[in-house]
Amino acid sequence: MKKLLFILAAATLAACSEKVSLNEPREIPIDFTKAFIENSTKAIATGPYTTDNFSVANNTMGVYGWKNVTSNNTTSDSPIFENQLVKHDGTNWNYTSKKYWDSNANHYKFFAYAPNSADLPTGTTVAMTSSTATSFSIAGFTQSTTVANQIDLLVDLTSQANCTINKNTTKERVGFTFGHILSLVNIKMGVSA
């Protein structure tokens, strides 16, 4: 009889521990989706950064992100991404050291540019010092004089308005609307005999 009671108690404890793990909130990773490229500025039509071919293997973007949290009656933005390298693997956008949605956050803000600073010419620095996105800068950038090597710089021009995720909504993948910040100028000249 004692043996039967022990087995029943052990089975009950095992069932309870499983039930607890099933009821724990599931951590949802912050992921990124296909970006939209605004066509307001001329760019190389076959270049790597157009809406149709932005999400292809080895394309990169740099992401900044903050979560807004209220603690002890004080609200502040905490950085979660600081120039995070996000790279496309041919199927999805990925990055190392996954970050997860925080249900205690009031909202999130994101900002992105492409390509990531790791793919920009040597001597280029990228900086953003606050979540207000008013101090983003790309300094020391020199464009190649060889057309095939020229880089198309893109910046998320939504002012984060479309990239604010409320904690009460479904945690969807974060998307960006990029705009070209450089212009491609083609000059054709004709010469007389």
mmCIF file of all heavy atoms in Angstrom, residues 108-156:
data_model
loop_
_atom_site.group_PDB
_atom_site.id
_atom_site.type_symbol
_atom_site.label_atom_id
_atom_site.label_comp_id
_atom_site.label_asym_id
_atom_site.label_seq_id
_atom_site.Cartn_x
_atom_site.Cartn_y
_atom_site.Cartn_z
ATOM 1 N N TYR A 108 7.952 50.033 -27.796
ATOM 2 C CA TYR A 108 9.284 49.897 -28.375
ATOM 3 C C TYR A 108 9.442 50.888 -29.513
ATOM 4 O O TYR A 108 8.461 51.257 -30.150
ATOM 5 C CB TYR A 108 9.483 48.489 -28.944
ATOM 6 C CG TYR A 108 9.709 47.426 -27.902
ATOM 7 C CD1 TYR A 108 8.645 46.867 -27.206
ATOM 8 C CD2 TYR A 108 10.986 46.969 -27.629
ATOM 9 C CE1 TYR A 108 8.852 45.886 -26.260
ATOM 10 C CE2 TYR A 108 11.201 45.985 -26.689
ATOM 11 C CZ TYR A 108 10.133 45.441 -26.006
ATOM 12 O OH TYR A 108 10.346 44.477 -25.075
ATOM 13 N N LYS A 109 10.685 51.283 -29.798
ATOM 14 C CA LYS A 109 10.986 52.127 -30.953
ATOM 15 C C LYS A 109 12.198 51.534 -31.663
ATOM 16 O O LYS A 109 13.139 51.075 -31.017
ATOM 17 C CB LYS A 109 11.289 53.561 -30.520
ATOM 18 C CG LYS A 109 10.089 54.297 -29.967
ATOM 19 C CD LYS A 109 10.397 55.744 -29.707
ATOM 20 C CE LYS A 109 11.020 55.898 -28.340
ATOM 21 N NZ LYS A 109 11.181 57.291 -27.923
ATOM 22 N N PHE A 110 12.163 51.561 -32.988
ATOM 23 C CA PHE A 110 13.253 51.007 -33.784
ATOM 24 C C PHE A 110 13.654 51.983 -34.886
ATOM 25 O O PHE A 110 12.845 52.756 -35.377
ATOM 26 C CB PHE A 110 12.827 49.680 -34.423
ATOM 27 C CG PHE A 110 12.451 48.626 -33.424
ATOM 28 C CD1 PHE A 110 11.137 48.460 -33.042
ATOM 29 C CD2 PHE A 110 13.420 47.816 -32.865
ATOM 30 C CE1 PHE A 110 10.781 47.498 -32.113
ATOM 31 C CE2 PHE A 110 13.085 46.851 -31.936
ATOM 32 C CZ PHE A 110 11.760 46.681 -31.559
ATOM 33 N N PHE A 111 14.914 51.892 -35.274
ATOM 34 C CA PHE A 111 15.464 52.708 -36.351
ATOM 35 C C PHE A 111 16.486 51.836 -37.073
ATOM 36 O O PHE A 111 17.190 51.046 -36.440
ATOM 37 C CB PHE A 111 16.146 53.950 -35.777
ATOM 38 C CG PHE A 111 16.754 54.843 -36.812
ATOM 39 C CD1 PHE A 111 15.985 55.785 -37.467
ATOM 40 C CD2 PHE A 111 18.093 54.730 -37.143
ATOM 41 C CE1 PHE A 111 16.546 56.603 -38.442
ATOM 42 C CE2 PHE A 111 18.662 55.542 -38.110
ATOM 43 C CZ PHE A 111 17.877 56.480 -38.753
ATOM 44 N N ALA A 112 16.567 51.959 -38.391
ATOM 45 C CA ALA A 112 17.511 51.116 -39.140
ATOM 46 C C ALA A 112 18.108 51.864 -40.323
ATOM 47 O O ALA A 112 17.566 52.862 -40.786
ATOM 48 C CB ALA A 112 16.803 49.861 -39.644
ATOM 49 N N TYR A 113 19.234 51.362 -40.766
ATOM 50 C CA TYR A 113 19.889 51.867 -41.967
ATOM 51 C C TYR A 113 20.522 50.675 -42.671
ATOM 52 O O TYR A 113 20.689 49.594 -42.084
ATOM 53 C CB TYR A 113 20.949 52.927 -41.611
ATOM 54 C CG TYR A 113 22.148 52.349 -40.920
ATOM 55 C CD1 TYR A 113 23.296 52.010 -41.635
ATOM 56 C CD2 TYR A 113 22.128 52.082 -39.554
ATOM 57 C CE1 TYR A 113 24.392 51.435 -40.998
ATOM 58 C CE2 TYR A 113 23.213 51.517 -38.919
ATOM 59 C CZ TYR A 113 24.343 51.187 -39.642
ATOM 60 O OH TYR A 113 25.421 50.609 -39.023
ATOM 61 N N ALA A 114 20.849 50.829 -43.936
ATOM 62 C CA ALA A 114 21.464 49.734 -44.688
ATOM 63 C C ALA A 114 22.437 50.305 -45.711
ATOM 64 O O ALA A 114 22.203 51.396 -46.229
ATOM 65 C CB ALA A 114 20.377 48.913 -45.396
ATOM 66 N N PRO A 115 23.506 49.581 -46.014
ATOM 67 C CA PRO A 115 23.942 48.369 -45.339
ATOM 68 C C PRO A 115 24.525 48.677 -43.958
ATOM 69 O O PRO A 115 24.791 49.827 -43.639
ATOM 70 C CB PRO A 115 25.026 47.825 -46.281
ATOM 71 C CG PRO A 115 25.582 49.028 -46.968
ATOM 72 C CD PRO A 115 24.420 49.975 -47.107
ATOM 73 N N ASN A 116 24.741 47.621 -43.179
ATOM 74 C CA ASN A 116 25.321 47.776 -41.851
ATOM 75 C C ASN A 116 26.719 48.369 -41.957
ATOM 76 O O ASN A 116 27.407 48.204 -42.965
ATOM 77 C CB ASN A 116 25.380 46.419 -41.147
ATOM 78 C CG ASN A 116 25.955 46.521 -39.756
ATOM 79 O OD1 ASN A 116 27.157 46.422 -39.562
ATOM 80 N ND2 ASN A 116 25.091 46.732 -38.777
ATOM 81 N N SER A 117 27.152 49.053 -40.914
ATOM 82 C CA SER A 117 28.455 49.730 -40.923
ATOM 83 C C SER A 117 29.620 48.796 -41.227
ATOM 84 O O SER A 117 30.637 49.223 -41.757
ATOM 85 C CB SER A 117 28.696 50.441 -39.591
ATOM 86 O OG SER A 117 28.639 49.524 -38.514
ATOM 87 N N ALA A 118 29.463 47.502 -40.933
ATOM 88 C CA ALA A 118 30.518 46.535 -41.245
ATOM 89 C C ALA A 118 30.740 46.406 -42.747
ATOM 90 O O ALA A 118 31.806 45.994 -43.193
ATOM 91 C CB ALA A 118 30.174 45.168 -40.650
ATOM 92 N N ASP A 119 29.718 46.789 -43.545
ATOM 93 C CA ASP A 119 29.816 46.704 -45.002
ATOM 94 C C ASP A 119 30.079 48.051 -45.664
ATOM 95 O O ASP A 119 30.051 48.168 -46.882
ATOM 96 C CB ASP A 119 28.522 46.101 -45.581
ATOM 97 C CG ASP A 119 28.333 44.653 -45.173
ATOM 98 O OD1 ASP A 119 29.348 43.956 -44.962
ATOM 99 O OD2 ASP A 119 27.180 44.215 -45.052
ATOM 100 N N LEU A 120 30.343 49.070 -44.859
ATOM 101 C CA LEU A 120 30.646 50.400 -45.399
ATOM 102 C C LEU A 120 32.158 50.562 -45.528
ATOM 103 O O LEU A 120 32.927 49.830 -44.898
ATOM 104 C CB LEU A 120 30.063 51.480 -44.485
ATOM 105 C CG LEU A 120 28.530 51.511 -44.402
ATOM 106 C CD1 LEU A 120 28.079 52.566 -43.400
ATOM 107 C CD2 LEU A 120 27.909 51.758 -45.763
ATOM 108 N N PRO A 121 32.621 51.519 -46.333
ATOM 109 C CA PRO A 121 34.069 51.706 -46.516
ATOM 110 C C PRO A 121 34.790 51.981 -45.187
ATOM 111 O O PRO A 121 34.216 52.558 -44.263
ATOM 112 C CB PRO A 121 34.153 52.935 -47.439
ATOM 113 C CG PRO A 121 32.834 52.992 -48.131
ATOM 114 C CD PRO A 121 31.837 52.454 -47.162
ATOM 115 N N THR A 122 36.040 51.570 -45.130
ATOM 116 C CA THR A 122 36.872 51.815 -43.952
ATOM 117 C C THR A 122 36.890 53.309 -43.641
ATOM 118 O O THR A 122 36.991 54.133 -44.533
ATOM 119 C CB THR A 122 38.312 51.319 -44.216
ATOM 120 O OG1 THR A 122 38.242 49.935 -44.574
ATOM 121 C CG2 THR A 122 39.180 51.490 -42.987
ATOM 122 N N GLY A 123 36.783 53.631 -42.369
ATOM 123 C CA GLY A 123 36.782 55.030 -41.953
ATOM 124 C C GLY A 123 35.398 55.609 -41.763
ATOM 125 O O GLY A 123 35.246 56.720 -41.257
ATOM 126 N N THR A 124 34.357 54.844 -42.131
ATOM 127 C CA THR A 124 32.982 55.305 -41.956
ATOM 128 C C THR A 124 32.533 54.997 -40.529
ATOM 129 O O THR A 124 32.749 53.896 -40.042
ATOM 130 C CB THR A 124 32.028 54.608 -42.943
ATOM 131 O OG1 THR A 124 32.495 54.815 -44.274
ATOM 132 C CG2 THR A 124 30.619 55.129 -42.814
ATOM 133 N N THR A 125 31.922 55.969 -39.876
ATOM 134 C CA THR A 125 31.378 55.730 -38.541
ATOM 135 C C THR A 125 29.882 56.042 -38.547
ATOM 136 O O THR A 125 29.428 56.976 -39.201
ATOM 137 C CB THR A 125 32.063 56.603 -37.466
ATOM 138 O OG1 THR A 125 31.920 57.981 -37.830
ATOM 139 C CG2 THR A 125 33.533 56.263 -37.342
ATOM 140 N N VAL A 126 29.148 55.237 -37.823
ATOM 141 C CA VAL A 126 27.704 55.406 -37.698
ATOM 142 C C VAL A 126 27.406 55.622 -36.227
ATOM 143 O O VAL A 126 27.935 54.918 -35.370
ATOM 144 C CB VAL A 126 26.963 54.152 -38.209
ATOM 145 C CG1 VAL A 126 25.472 54.271 -37.996
ATOM 146 C CG2 VAL A 126 27.274 53.916 -39.689
ATOM 147 N N ALA A 127 26.564 56.616 -35.919
ATOM 148 C CA ALA A 127 26.256 56.891 -34.511
ATOM 149 C C ALA A 127 24.826 57.375 -34.341
ATOM 150 O O ALA A 127 24.296 58.091 -35.181
ATOM 151 C CB ALA A 127 27.214 57.950 -33.977
ATOM 152 N N MET A 128 24.233 56.936 -33.266
ATOM 153 C CA MET A 128 22.937 57.451 -32.813
ATOM 154 C C MET A 128 22.986 57.407 -31.300
ATOM 155 O O MET A 128 23.250 56.361 -30.726
ATOM 156 C CB MET A 128 21.778 56.612 -33.325
ATOM 157 C CG MET A 128 20.432 57.122 -32.830
ATOM 158 S SD MET A 128 19.043 56.190 -33.476
ATOM 159 C CE MET A 128 18.986 56.830 -35.128
ATOM 160 N N THR A 129 22.757 58.535 -30.674
ATOM 161 C CA THR A 129 22.969 58.590 -29.233
ATOM 162 C C THR A 129 21.702 58.624 -28.395
ATOM 163 O O THR A 129 21.771 58.573 -27.188
ATOM 164 C CB THR A 129 23.811 59.830 -28.861
ATOM 165 O OG1 THR A 129 23.146 60.990 -29.363
ATOM 166 C CG2 THR A 129 25.196 59.729 -29.451
ATOM 167 N N SER A 130 20.525 58.725 -29.025
ATOM 168 C CA SER A 130 19.315 58.755 -28.216
ATOM 169 C C SER A 130 18.150 58.111 -28.946
ATOM 170 O O SER A 130 18.163 57.956 -30.157
ATOM 171 C CB SER A 130 18.949 60.197 -27.858
ATOM 172 O OG SER A 130 18.446 60.859 -28.998
ATOM 173 N N SER A 131 17.141 57.743 -28.179
ATOM 174 C CA SER A 131 15.971 57.092 -28.748
ATOM 175 C C SER A 131 15.080 58.052 -29.515
ATOM 176 O O SER A 131 14.119 57.640 -30.141
ATOM 177 C CB SER A 131 15.162 56.433 -27.635
ATOM 178 O OG SER A 131 14.705 57.423 -26.731
ATOM 179 N N THR A 132 15.371 59.349 -29.475
ATOM 180 C CA THR A 132 14.558 60.310 -30.223
ATOM 181 C C THR A 132 14.930 60.334 -31.697
ATOM 182 O O THR A 132 14.268 60.977 -32.495
ATOM 183 C CB THR A 132 14.715 61.724 -29.641
ATOM 184 O OG1 THR A 132 16.099 62.092 -29.690
ATOM 185 C CG2 THR A 132 14.208 61.788 -28.217
ATOM 186 N N ALA A 133 15.998 59.642 -32.068
ATOM 187 C CA ALA A 133 16.433 59.532 -33.465
ATOM 188 C C ALA A 133 16.705 60.882 -34.088
ATOM 189 O O ALA A 133 16.516 61.082 -35.274
ATOM 190 C CB ALA A 133 15.425 58.749 -34.291
ATOM 191 N N THR A 134 17.154 61.843 -33.280
ATOM 192 C CA THR A 134 17.448 63.167 -33.819
ATOM 193 C C THR A 134 18.935 63.355 -34.055
ATOM 194 O O THR A 134 19.355 64.367 -34.604
ATOM 195 C CB THR A 134 16.967 64.270 -32.857
ATOM 196 O OG1 THR A 134 17.587 64.056 -31.584
ATOM 197 C CG2 THR A 134 15.463 64.245 -32.703
ATOM 198 N N SER A 135 19.754 62.399 -33.656
ATOM 199 C CA SER A 135 21.191 62.599 -33.780
ATOM 200 C C SER A 135 21.882 61.476 -34.544
ATOM 201 O O SER A 135 23.032 61.169 -34.300
ATOM 202 C CB SER A 135 21.812 62.728 -32.380
ATOM 203 O OG SER A 135 21.533 61.558 -31.625
ATOM 204 N N PHE A 136 21.173 60.855 -35.475
ATOM 205 C CA PHE A 136 21.778 59.804 -36.289
ATOM 206 C C PHE A 136 22.760 60.423 -37.274
ATOM 207 O O PHE A 136 22.482 61.442 -37.891
ATOM 208 C CB PHE A 136 20.692 59.041 -37.055
ATOM 209 C CG PHE A 136 21.245 57.982 -37.968
ATOM 210 C CD1 PHE A 136 21.741 56.800 -37.461
ATOM 211 C CD2 PHE A 136 21.283 58.178 -39.335
ATOM 212 C CE1 PHE A 136 22.250 55.825 -38.295
ATOM 213 C CE2 PHE A 136 21.788 57.216 -40.184
ATOM 214 C CZ PHE A 136 22.280 56.032 -39.655
ATOM 215 N N SER A 137 23.943 59.818 -37.395
ATOM 216 C CA SER A 137 24.924 60.357 -38.346
ATOM 217 C C SER A 137 25.748 59.240 -38.976
ATOM 218 O O SER A 137 26.011 58.211 -38.355
ATOM 219 C CB SER A 137 25.854 61.347 -37.648
ATOM 220 O OG SER A 137 26.640 60.684 -36.687
ATOM 221 N N ILE A 138 26.116 59.471 -40.223
ATOM 222 C CA ILE A 138 27.073 58.619 -40.932
ATOM 223 C C ILE A 138 28.199 59.558 -41.331
ATOM 224 O O ILE A 138 27.996 60.487 -42.112
ATOM 225 C CB ILE A 138 26.457 57.954 -42.170
ATOM 226 C CG1 ILE A 138 25.302 57.036 -41.769
ATOM 227 C CG2 ILE A 138 27.511 57.163 -42.938
ATOM 228 C CD1 ILE A 138 24.546 56.420 -42.931
ATOM 229 N N ALA A 139 29.377 59.360 -40.754
ATOM 230 C CA ALA A 139 30.507 60.267 -41.003
ATOM 231 C C ALA A 139 31.670 59.507 -41.643
ATOM 232 O O ALA A 139 31.842 58.309 -41.440
ATOM 233 C CB ALA A 139 30.954 60.904 -39.690
ATOM 234 N N GLY A 140 32.464 60.233 -42.416
ATOM 235 C CA GLY A 140 33.653 59.647 -43.024
ATOM 236 C C GLY A 140 33.379 58.744 -44.204
ATOM 237 O O GLY A 140 34.264 58.011 -44.655
ATOM 238 N N PHE A 141 32.162 58.778 -44.729
ATOM 239 C CA PHE A 141 31.806 57.921 -45.862
ATOM 240 C C PHE A 141 32.352 58.512 -47.158
ATOM 241 O O PHE A 141 32.173 59.697 -47.440
ATOM 242 C CB PHE A 141 30.282 57.787 -45.963
ATOM 243 C CG PHE A 141 29.819 57.011 -47.168
ATOM 244 C CD1 PHE A 141 29.837 55.630 -47.158
ATOM 245 C CD2 PHE A 141 29.381 57.667 -48.302
ATOM 246 C CE1 PHE A 141 29.407 54.914 -48.266
ATOM 247 C CE2 PHE A 141 28.946 56.967 -49.416
ATOM 248 C CZ PHE A 141 28.960 55.582 -49.395
ATOM 249 N N THR A 142 33.044 57.685 -47.932
ATOM 250 C CA THR A 142 33.543 58.100 -49.238
ATOM 251 C C THR A 142 33.027 57.118 -50.273
ATOM 252 O O THR A 142 33.277 55.908 -50.169
ATOM 253 C CB THR A 142 35.090 58.120 -49.257
ATOM 254 O OG1 THR A 142 35.545 58.966 -48.211
ATOM 255 C CG2 THR A 142 35.607 58.619 -50.587
ATOM 256 N N GLN A 143 32.312 57.649 -51.261
ATOM 257 C CA GLN A 143 31.755 56.793 -52.306
ATOM 258 C C GLN A 143 32.842 56.409 -53.299
ATOM 259 O O GLN A 143 33.711 57.217 -53.628
ATOM 260 C CB GLN A 143 30.621 57.534 -53.024
ATOM 261 C CG GLN A 143 29.853 56.720 -54.039
ATOM 262 C CD GLN A 143 29.067 55.588 -53.418
ATOM 263 O OE1 GLN A 143 29.625 54.519 -53.147
ATOM 264 N NE2 GLN A 143 27.782 55.810 -53.204
ATOM 265 N N SER A 144 32.798 55.181 -53.768
ATOM 266 C CA SER A 144 33.748 54.714 -54.773
ATOM 267 C C SER A 144 33.495 55.423 -56.103
ATOM 268 O O SER A 144 32.351 55.721 -56.445
ATOM 269 C CB SER A 144 33.600 53.206 -54.962
ATOM 270 O OG SER A 144 34.405 52.762 -56.030
ATOM 271 N N THR A 145 34.553 55.680 -56.844
ATOM 272 C CA THR A 145 34.395 56.275 -58.169
ATOM 273 C C THR A 145 34.109 55.207 -59.219
ATOM 274 O O THR A 145 33.758 55.519 -60.348
ATOM 275 C CB THR A 145 35.663 57.069 -58.568
ATOM 276 O OG1 THR A 145 36.790 56.212 -58.479
ATOM 277 C CG2 THR A 145 35.838 58.270 -57.652
ATOM 278 N N THR A 146 34.241 53.939 -58.842
ATOM 279 C CA THR A 146 33.905 52.830 -59.732
ATOM 280 C C THR A 146 32.443 52.479 -59.521
ATOM 281 O O THR A 146 32.044 52.090 -58.412
ATOM 282 C CB THR A 146 34.790 51.596 -59.434
ATOM 283 O OG1 THR A 146 36.158 51.978 -59.498
ATOM 284 C CG2 THR A 146 34.503 50.457 -60.391
ATOM 285 N N VAL A 147 31.624 52.628 -60.557
ATOM 286 C CA VAL A 147 30.179 52.438 -60.428
ATOM 287 C C VAL A 147 29.837 51.076 -59.837
ATOM 288 O O VAL A 147 28.967 50.969 -58.960
ATOM 289 C CB VAL A 147 29.480 52.633 -61.796
ATOM 290 C CG1 VAL A 147 28.002 52.286 -61.710
ATOM 291 C CG2 VAL A 147 29.663 54.058 -62.279
ATOM 292 N N ALA A 148 30.497 50.029 -60.249
ATOM 293 C CA ALA A 148 30.193 48.680 -59.765
ATOM 294 C C ALA A 148 30.424 48.538 -58.266
ATOM 295 O O ALA A 148 29.832 47.670 -57.620
ATOM 296 C CB ALA A 148 31.031 47.649 -60.524
ATOM 297 N N ASN A 149 31.263 49.377 -57.682
ATOM 298 C CA ASN A 149 31.574 49.293 -56.249
ATOM 299 C C ASN A 149 30.816 50.312 -55.401
ATOM 300 O O ASN A 149 31.035 50.400 -54.194
ATOM 301 C CB ASN A 149 33.083 49.486 -56.021
ATOM 302 C CG ASN A 149 33.898 48.398 -56.681
ATOM 303 O OD1 ASN A 149 33.434 47.282 -56.862
ATOM 304 N ND2 ASN A 149 35.125 48.724 -57.052
ATOM 305 N N GLN A 150 29.971 51.105 -56.035
ATOM 306 C CA GLN A 150 29.274 52.142 -55.287
ATOM 307 C C GLN A 150 28.214 51.551 -54.362
ATOM 308 O O GLN A 150 27.585 50.544 -54.676
ATOM 309 C CB GLN A 150 28.666 53.161 -56.249
ATOM 310 C CG GLN A 150 29.729 53.998 -56.923
ATOM 311 C CD GLN A 150 29.171 55.005 -57.899
ATOM 312 O OE1 GLN A 150 28.011 54.936 -58.298
ATOM 313 N NE2 GLN A 150 30.017 55.945 -58.312
ATOM 314 N N ILE A 151 28.049 52.196 -53.223
ATOM 315 C CA ILE A 151 27.124 51.735 -52.189
ATOM 316 C C ILE A 151 25.896 52.628 -52.158
ATOM 317 O O ILE A 151 26.000 53.852 -52.212
ATOM 318 C CB ILE A 151 27.833 51.742 -50.816
ATOM 319 C CG1 ILE A 151 28.952 50.695 -50.813
ATOM 320 C CG2 ILE A 151 26.849 51.501 -49.681
ATOM 321 C CD1 ILE A 151 29.820 50.723 -49.584
ATOM 322 N N ASP A 152 24.734 52.011 -52.076
ATOM 323 C CA ASP A 152 23.473 52.724 -51.969
ATOM 324 C C ASP A 152 23.109 52.790 -50.488
ATOM 325 O O ASP A 152 22.750 51.789 -49.879
ATOM 326 C CB ASP A 152 22.397 51.968 -52.750
ATOM 327 C CG ASP A 152 21.077 52.708 -52.811
ATOM 328 O OD1 ASP A 152 21.017 53.862 -52.372
ATOM 329 O OD2 ASP A 152 20.103 52.111 -53.304
ATOM 330 N N LEU A 153 23.227 53.962 -49.871
ATOM 331 C CA LEU A 153 22.900 54.114 -48.452
ATOM 332 C C LEU A 153 21.407 54.319 -48.267
ATOM 333 O O LEU A 153 20.789 55.128 -48.960
ATOM 334 C CB LEU A 153 23.645 55.306 -47.857
ATOM 335 C CG LEU A 153 25.130 55.119 -47.595
ATOM 336 C CD1 LEU A 153 25.744 56.433 -47.116
ATOM 337 C CD2 LEU A 153 25.365 54.036 -46.565
ATOM 338 N N LEU A 154 20.834 53.599 -47.322
ATOM 339 C CA LEU A 154 19.415 53.690 -47.029
ATOM 340 C C LEU A 154 19.207 53.960 -45.550
ATOM 341 O O LEU A 154 19.952 53.462 -44.711
ATOM 342 C CB LEU A 154 18.706 52.373 -47.381
ATOM 343 C CG LEU A 154 18.813 51.908 -48.821
ATOM 344 C CD1 LEU A 154 18.297 50.488 -48.949
ATOM 345 C CD2 LEU A 154 18.022 52.819 -49.727
ATOM 346 N N VAL A 155 18.174 54.732 -45.237
ATOM 347 C CA VAL A 155 17.836 55.021 -43.842
ATOM 348 C C VAL A 155 16.330 54.865 -43.689
ATOM 349 O O VAL A 155 15.565 55.217 -44.588
ATOM 350 C CB VAL A 155 18.274 56.461 -43.458
ATOM 351 C CG1 VAL A 155 17.817 56.819 -42.061
ATOM 352 C CG2 VAL A 155 19.780 56.608 -43.558
ATOM 353 N N ASP A 156 15.903 54.334 -42.553
ATOM 354 C CA ASP A 156 14.480 54.228 -42.255
ATOM 355 C C ASP A 156 13.943 55.632 -42.033
ATOM 356 O O ASP A 156 14.326 56.301 -41.077
ATOM 357 C CB ASP A 156 14.273 53.374 -41.001
ATOM 358 C CG ASP A 156 12.847 53.421 -40.503
ATOM 359 O OD1 ASP A 156 11.931 53.459 -41.342
ATOM 360 O OD2 ASP A 156 12.646 53.424 -39.280
#
